[in-house]
Amino acid sequence: MLCPHCNQKIPNGSILCPKCGKSIQQSSGKKRLPILICVIVIVITAAGSSIFFWLNQPKEKSYQELLNSAEHYLIELDYEQAETLYLEAIEIEPSELEAYLSLYELYVNNNEVEKAMSLLEKAKEYIAGKDEIEKIDIKLAEL
């Protein structure tokens, strides 16, 4: 048998090499197995936790989803919830006219003329298109 460190021939049954003094018992990898298992468990736990938190984080609704939900609440006659959703949609896309006009109609139908006028004035600050501004001006003239 040869020493794995210095390649000196050593007698069978020896624990130490007579030349270099190092242990000649070769590690069988059994010492590494528990460490490897711990690393695998930690990686799987971290991945599982990441997936869990990613799946459970609140999802931000898109502009169109907010408009659709608001219209649903209008049908259900829940005007406060519809107003809240229209305002959220306006926050997400302040340059889109649709949410302003829908909220305007809600205000007018509920005799909240001041809110309707204020909303359309705010819309004019964000809306860039000439056609959209003309629509806003027409709605303002109706009030």
Side-chain angles (χ1 to χ4, degrees):
M1 184 158 110
L2 295 177
C3 173
H5 303 286
C6 67
N7 290 327
Q8 175 70 33
K9 187 171 182 170
I10 50 174
N12 286 338
S14 296
I15 298 174
L16 299 175
C17 174
K19 180 178 179 188
C20 67
K22 293 185 179 178
S23 173
I24 58 165
Q25 292 180 341
Q26 298 200 5
S27 65
S28 62
K30 291 182 181 179
K31 292 180 183 177
R32 293 183 183 170
L33 185 61
I35 294 172
L36 181 62
I37 290 172
C38 287
V39 169
I40 290 172
V41 167
I42 290 170
V43 168
I44 290 172
T45 302
S49 297
S50 297
I51 291 170
F52 174 79
F53 286 114
W54 179 72
L55 290 174
N56 288 317
Q57 71 183 11
K59 294 175 178 66
E60 187 176 306
K61 289 187 175 183
S62 73
Y63 176 78
Q64 194 59 50
E65 288 173 328
L66 289 167
L67 290 181
N68 293 341
S69 295
E71 290 187 24
H72 169 76
Y73 283 109
L74 277 179
I75 292 168
E76 298 291 321
L77 304 177
D78 187 347
Y79 300 126
E80 288 180 24
Q81 189 62 35
E83 176 185 22
T84 300
L85 293 173
Y86 282 132
L87 290 171
E88 285 181 37
I90 289 169
E91 278 186 42
I92 291 174
E93 293 287 344
S95 61
E96 291 291 326
L97 185 59
E98 185 178 358
Y100 289 105
L101 294 179
S102 296
L103 185 53
Y104 160 83
E105 293 294 333
L106 184 145
Y107 287 151
V108 169
N109 290 336
N110 287 309
N111 295 319
E112 298 180 271
V113 177
E114 291 296 320
K115 276 186 167 181
M117 287 178 61
S118 174
L119 177 72
L120 291 181
E121 291 298 336
K122 177 183 173 185
K124 286 177 76 169
E125 296 174 19
Y126 293 99
I127 304 297
K130 183 180 177 183
D131 292 338
E132 285 87 5
I133 291 176
E134 286 178 6
K135 287 179 185 178
I136 293 170
D137 287 336
I138 291 170
K139 296 291 184 183
L140 282 169
E142 291 174 358
L143 294 176

